[in-house]
Amino acid sequence: MVAIDVLNDLWHNCHMGAELLSYFKQDFKDGTVIEAVVWKVPKDKERSHGFKYRLHFGKLDGTCITRYDNEKGKGDHRHIGKREEVYQFISLEKLLNDFKQDVRKYRKRVK
């Protein structure tokens, strides 16, 4: 399913004038993974800030620990485990800092 989502994103981005700003992926020895991707996109009603993003921290088996994203139709939001909540996008810097803070909180709890 992940491969299909990636292909859908690539197709969608090719047709909406997106510019890949950053992609990062790292697997950790404890069985977790961080994958972060940010595109610069034309501003529109759903993405008035001009970014499309997916910041994922989870287990290698696909389990979501925390994820921030803004897929079409849902707007800016984050997932904490299975819970989903609205996220107030202020800036790209704040988004990345909030994501890092959530990852740090999780890592402190499991130590």
Side-chain angles (χ1 to χ4, degrees), residues 38-107:
V38 178
W39 292 274
K40 181 76 173 145
V41 297
K43 293 179 181 181
D44 63 18
K45 189 168 58 173
E46 285 194 79
R47 296 188 180 112
S48 60
H49 48 64
F51 297 102
K52 176 173 171 36
Y53 57 87
R54 184 178 64 249
L55 310 174
H56 172 80
F57 174 61
K59 297 183 180 177
L60 289 171
D61 67 6
T63 303
C64 173
I65 297 169
T66 188
R67 183 175 67 246
Y68 289 67
D69 65 285
N70 62 341
E71 65 186 89
K72 278 272 193 210
K74 286 192 165 190
D76 300 297
H77 63 282
R78 74 175 182 166
H79 305 256
I80 303 295
K82 294 183 180 186
R83 188 178 80 232
E84 186 175 317
E85 59 192 35
V86 172
Y87 176 76
Q88 181 65 47
F89 185 97
I90 294 172
S91 70
L92 190 54
E93 182 179 11
K94 180 163 178 22
L95 171 74
L96 297 172
N97 285 332
D98 290 346
F99 176 67
K100 286 189 280 187
Q101 183 177 353
D102 284 352
V103 172
R104 286 186 187 120
K105 280 183 196 174
Y106 175 82
R107 290 199 177 284

Side-chain angles (χ1 to χ4, degrees), residues 1-18 37 39 41 47 52 54 71-72:
M1 188 67 168
V2 171
I4 291 172
D5 290 342
V6 170
L7 290 174
N8 286 339
D9 283 346
L10 289 173
W11 181 89
H12 184 70
N13 292 335
C14 288
H15 291 85
M16 64 183 221
V37 61
W39 292 274
V41 297
R47 296 188 180 112
K52 176 173 171 36
R54 184 178 64 249
E71 65 186 89
K72 278 272 193 210

